[in-house]
Amino acid sequence: MSTTSVRQDAVLSSPRGAQILAGRLPFIATILTSAALIFLVQPLFAKLATPLLGGTPSVWNVSLVCFQTALLAGYAYAHALARFVPLRHQVAVHGAVLVLAGLTLPIGLSGMLGAPNEGNPLVWLMGTFAVSIAPVFIAISATSPLLQHWYGHSGEKDAEDPYFLYGASNIGSLIGLIAYPVVLEPLIGVTTQSWIWTAGYAIASAGLIVCGLIVAARSSTVETTEHHESTTSTAPAGTMTERLRWLALAFLPSSLLVGTTSHISTDVASAPFLWSPPLILYIGSFIIAFGAREALFTRMAGMALPIAAGLVLLTVFATSWPILIEIGIALAALGAAALYCHGTLAASRPPKARLTEFYFIMSLGGVLGGAFNAILAPLLFASVVEFPLIMALVLLTLPKGVSGGTIRVGIFTTIAMGSVVIGSMMSGHDKGDVQQFTAQLFLFVPLILLILGRGSRSIALACVASLAAAAIAAPFMGKQTLLTERSFFGVHRVSQTEHLRVLIHGTTVHGAQRLDDQGRPTPITYYHATSPIGEVFSSYKERSPVGVVGLGVGSVACAMDPSQRGVFYEIDPVVVEIARNPALFNFLSACGGNSEIVMGDGRLTVADAQEGTYGFMLLDAFSSDAVPAHLLTREALSMFMSRTTDDGVLAIHISNRHLNLGPIIGRIAGAEGWVAIEKKSRVDNPLETFAAPTRVVALARHDTDLLPLLANGGWKPLTSDGKHPWTDERSNILGAWVANW
């Protein structure tokens, strides 16, 4: 147990313990409330903004950086207030700031910047955050450092070490994080959520002013005593080395947080219940790091880091591991790294006189770490390599005693090499793929050298460089990669096998073409002639125009009849470039002469079309394996259906490994009075037919409109289960995920 914890325990067990707890109570209650508000508003804002940007997980990552930047601004403001404004005046100044910021409530997205621009969505998102959320967030985020600073001047017996309030702050953060996906998102609409947050802001502001007045009332005596103590203090001033170390220890786990979140939300859904687990681990590490027995937990995390790093690097190559295993490895690695870095950071915290400076530098490191992943990395790397790279850099922070030891390294080496062999078998590569296996095998050589060579900084840096090179080369190993492009909406890779050319987004195939196709290409994967999507096009080939949300490689252009005209809606410019490049895929060049491509989010751009425009529509918008949830609300499907003719059909491609989306659409159809049918296709010989299992729902206003599809056989009625349908105000992705198990 640390000296700080022993001293606090002794104080609280003394005869005056009850009095001390009473003195702490208003500070703890206020800091809990404000921290919960901070972590309630983050998913609320991202949930509001995500539908406008195609449901991409990058919305959450960039939003997280915006919040970290606003947090830094709040900490900088608190530091300046504590340093330059007398204690008794700080309460009045901050009270005025809280009132002025509160004038922007309730929370909502400002329309000042207009609609988002798909060519530069990052600027729009950051600007919208600045004018919509930033004022109240900065004001409320200053609560934690200010209250700790004020408590340090309160004259209480334990005022010399107010860092215990930081633990209370992080507990409040966890409450907010857990409450949003479990309670607010599935049960309460976003408008009501906004008003609840406004009420919480008023309560937290009142509590903060009360705490400030309590301290201000004692300030004369306390300031006189502290002035005498400061003139006799011999405490050393901070050094630049110390500050840089704080910065690095805050940078690394923040970067890993964004990397882990992106990895998880790309392949399931961009939604709060998936944003929360990494952030819960991140915040939880602060609670442990600034609590009792932090030294023990920090050392345990340091011992686990090498194995965690090895497994993370292995998953870079074994890309076909089950998603839950990959998620578990990523979360475990994030937890170990965050706990070790934050524990080391907490152990080096300064006296209370430098408290606000410490929090400012720690927040700056968090901003830089998040910005590196969310903003800089997409510009530097064509694939997502920043997560394993930062994981390797974390190992540089380990002291030699933590990772050294012949026995320990020998055990780790055995585990690592065994994992390589198992991973090679699990990843499904051909036994003859010697290049792939060799890359996996030697991936761990620099990692082991990094652990053994802790005494040499040059060896360590060389090993990290080699690991970075291995991670960057990973997407190009084992198959012929023709193109790798990265945009705000994800990483797209065009690869070539013996028979196919394939477009992969994240871990999901988004289209493919046979290399031996001559003339008019034949649609394959989800779009082959006997798939549910193929049946939709063959059953309604006389109807034109056809609206298609989601372009992929343009396969459905060749599924259409030559007489039909297609209008494709696509948000990602990189996808359009790939589909239009006949050297990669020639579906559009061969079959899309009558087709048009409209750039932008499908929901926003289709809404610009006149009602009754399309004979039928196909909703086929994926983000890796995730269907954007904002396209599956009652309001969204009503809008899509309204753009079809009176006898029109809306087909929705809902193939998904993780979410059971059929009941979601069934509820909406029941509420709207539509007829709904669905079909799941199975594929017996995928390697021969190049077909993929497909699940599609078709919606129409009248029974007779679906007769052409029903004539194909295999289509079954989809009815409502009577539960609340998804709406723009309220959805429950967690429930859809659980229903799939």
Side-chain angles (χ1 to χ4, degrees):
M1 183 177 291
S2 68
T3 303
T4 299
S5 300
V6 171
R7 183 169 63 250
Q8 287 188 7
D9 289 344
V11 170
L12 294 178
S13 61
S14 67
R16 296 194 60 197
Q19 182 179 352
I20 292 172
L21 286 175
R24 286 181 170 188
L25 188 58
F27 291 85
I28 292 175
T30 301
I31 210 166
L32 277 169
T33 303
S34 63
L37 289 173
I38 287 173
F39 284 90
L40 283 174
V41 75
Q42 291 192 35
L44 173 57
F45 172 78
K47 187 176 177 67
L48 290 170
T50 297
L52 301 180
L53 291 169
T56 173
S58 294
V59 172
W60 171 249
N61 288 339
V62 175
S63 298
L64 190 59
V65 174
C66 290
F67 283 110
Q68 288 176 317
T69 304
L71 188 68
L72 174 65
Y75 281 13
Y77 157 71
H79 180 53
L81 196 64
R83 185 169 182 179
F84 299 111
V85 179
L87 184 62
R88 67 186 64 185
H89 296 155
Q90 292 173 19
V91 181
V93 172
H94 192 54
V97 168
L98 288 168
V99 171
L100 290 174
L103 296 178
T104 64
L105 294 173
I107 290 171
L109 291 186
S110 171
M112 185 182 300
L113 301 182
N117 178 1
E118 68 278 355
N120 199 1
L122 189 148
V123 173
W124 179 89
L125 181 59
M126 297 179 74
T128 299
F129 170 83
V131 297
S132 302
I133 305 294
V136 290
F137 190 88
I138 292 172
I140 203 71
S141 66
T143 299
S144 179
L146 271 181
L147 281 183
Q148 290 178 69
H149 170 69
W150 290 350
Y151 192 84
H153 294 74
S154 66
E156 296 288 346
K157 292 294 184 180
D158 56 347
E160 287 301 313
D161 188 18
Y163 285 98
F164 72 89
L165 285 172
Y166 191 60
S169 173
N170 286 295
I171 291 173
S173 301
L174 282 182
I175 293 173
L177 279 174
I178 296 172
Y180 194 90
V182 175
V183 180
L184 267 68
E185 184 186 26
L187 301 179
I188 301 174
V190 292
T191 301
T192 305
Q193 292 174 27
S194 179
W195 283 107
I196 290 174
W197 199 92
T198 300
Y201 179 85
I203 293 171
S205 298
L208 195 142
I209 298 301
V210 169
C211 292
L213 293 175
I214 291 173
V215 175
R218 308 173 183 173
S219 63
S220 298
T221 303
V222 173
E223 286 180 345
T224 301
T225 303
E226 291 187 344
H227 175 74
H228 172 73
E229 291 175 350
S230 64
T231 58
T232 59
S233 173
T234 58
T239 65
M240 183 56 66
T241 300
E242 179 186 44
R243 295 184 179 97
L244 290 175
R245 182 169 173 78
W246 291 345
L247 194 72
L249 289 170
F251 174 96
L252 293 171
S254 176
S255 176
L256 290 175
L257 166 65
V258 177
T260 305
T261 307
S262 179
H263 173 69
I264 293 174
S265 57
T266 294
D267 288 309
V268 182
S270 187
F273 92 94
L274 287 170
W275 301 333
S276 296
L279 201 49
I280 287 172
L281 286 173
Y282 181 81
I283 296 300
S285 69
F286 278 114
I287 297 175
I288 297 173
F290 284 83
R293 302 183 67 83
E294 71 274 16
L296 173 62
F297 287 109
T298 301
R299 183 170 178 81
M300 291 173 60
M303 293 173 64
L305 266 177
I307 296 177
L311 291 173
V312 165
L313 290 166
L314 179 60
T315 61
V316 172
F317 289 88
T319 54
S320 60
W321 279 24
I323 187 66
L324 290 183
I325 292 179
E326 287 197 29
I327 289 174
I329 290 173
L331 290 176
L334 170 65
L339 181 54
Y340 176 76
C341 290
H342 292 154
T344 306
L345 192 63
S348 64
R349 60 188 183 268
K352 67 174 185 179
R354 298 178 59 206
L355 180 146
T356 54
E357 177 195 3
F358 173 71
Y359 284 130
F360 171 75
I361 294 175
M362 189 167 67
S363 179
L364 177 60
V367 170
L368 294 176
F372 172 77
N373 273 62
I375 299 174
L376 189 59
L379 301 177
L380 296 177
F381 307 122
S383 58
V384 184
V385 302
E386 55 271 18
F387 183 75
L389 175 59
I390 295 297
M391 196 71 220
L393 288 175
V394 172
L395 296 180
L396 291 179
T397 66
L398 292 173
K400 188 173 183 180
V402 171
S403 58
T406 304
I407 296 177
R408 187 178 303 141
V409 172
I411 294 173
F412 167 71
T413 303
T414 302
I415 294 174
M417 292 305 179
S419 298
V420 172
V421 177
I422 296 172
S424 296
M425 293 187 293
M426 291 181 64
S427 58
H429 298 292
D430 295 335
K431 293 181 179 179
D433 194 352
V434 178
Q435 183 187 34
Q436 179 78 18
F437 179 79
T438 303
Q440 290 178 333
L441 183 65
F442 285 98
L443 173 67
F444 286 92
V445 172
L447 182 62
I448 294 166
L449 288 176
L450 175 59
I451 298 167
L452 292 171
R454 287 296 306 141
S456 170
R457 183 64 60 180
S458 59
I459 292 177
L461 290 175
C463 292
V464 169
S466 64
L467 288 169
I472 292 172
F476 304 95
M477 302 300 294
K479 59 182 72 175
Q480 184 180 355
T481 298
L482 305 179
L483 176 72
T484 300
E485 290 283 350
R486 186 171 184 175
S487 70
F488 181 82
F489 304 95
V491 177
H492 308 279
R493 187 171 73 253
V494 179
S495 299
Q496 187 167 295
T497 65
E498 183 179 357
H499 303 289
L500 297 177
R501 186 170 294 146
V502 182
L503 172 63
I504 300 174
H505 180 196
T507 61
T508 302
V509 172
H510 274 213
Q513 183 174 350
R514 292 179 177 178
L515 297 180
D516 59 359
D517 262 343
Q518 301 294 327
R520 184 181 178 92
T522 302
I524 54 176
T525 64
Y526 309 111
Y527 312 103
H528 62 93
T530 58
S531 73
I533 293 178
E535 290 180 7
V536 170
F537 281 92
S538 63
S539 299
Y540 301 100
K541 60 184 178 181
E542 76 286 353
R543 298 188 181 186
S544 186
V546 179
V548 182
V549 179
L551 177 62
V553 299
S555 300
V556 297
C558 291
M560 296 181 192
D561 187 82
S563 63
Q564 289 179 308
R565 183 174 72 89
V567 180
F568 292 91
Y569 295 89
E570 176 58 50
I571 194 172
D572 194 339
V574 170
V575 171
V576 175
E577 291 176 9
I578 292 172
R580 279 178 166 168
N581 185 350
L584 298 175
F585 302 96
N586 68 335
F587 290 105
L588 287 182
S589 60
C591 308
N594 295 330
S595 297
E596 174 189 357
I597 297 177
V598 179
M599 293 298 303
D601 173 69
R603 179 169 173 178
L604 297 178
T605 49
V606 171
D608 293 334
Q610 292 184 353
E611 294 187 3
T613 296
Y614 299 110
F616 72 92
M617 292 191 69
L618 171 65
L619 188 57
D620 183 30
F622 285 87
S623 175
S624 188
D625 195 47
V627 178
H630 74 290
L631 299 181
L632 299 179
T633 65
R634 184 174 181 177
E635 294 87 346
L637 293 187
S638 294
M639 185 276 296
F640 287 127
M641 184 67 85
S642 71
R643 267 54 185 176
T644 67
T645 56
D646 183 62
D647 61 349
V649 173
L650 175 62
I652 308 171
H653 186 191
I654 60 170
S655 302
N656 195 282
R657 291 175 291 178
H658 312 294
L659 301 179
N660 182 17
L661 298 171
I664 308 302
I665 300 174
R667 293 167 199 159
I668 296 173
E672 292 289 333
W674 300 330
V675 184
I677 58 176
E678 69 171 332
K679 184 173 183 177
K680 305 176 186 177
S681 68
R682 296 181 59 185
V683 178
D684 296 326
N685 299 303
L687 296 179
E688 296 179 7
T689 61
F690 307 115
T694 311
R695 184 180 182 186
V696 173
V697 172
L699 303 174
R701 298 176 180 85
H702 316 289
D703 292 341
T704 54
D705 300 330
L706 296 175
L707 291 178
L709 281 179
L710 293 171
N712 293 288
W715 291 85
K716 298 180 180 179
L718 178 64
T719 57
S720 173
D721 58 10
K723 295 182 180 179
H724 191 280
W726 282 8
T727 65
D728 289 346
E729 282 280 310
R730 177 179 157 193
S731 59
N732 184 9
I733 295 179
L734 178 58
W737 185 75
V738 171
N740 201 43
W741 288 84

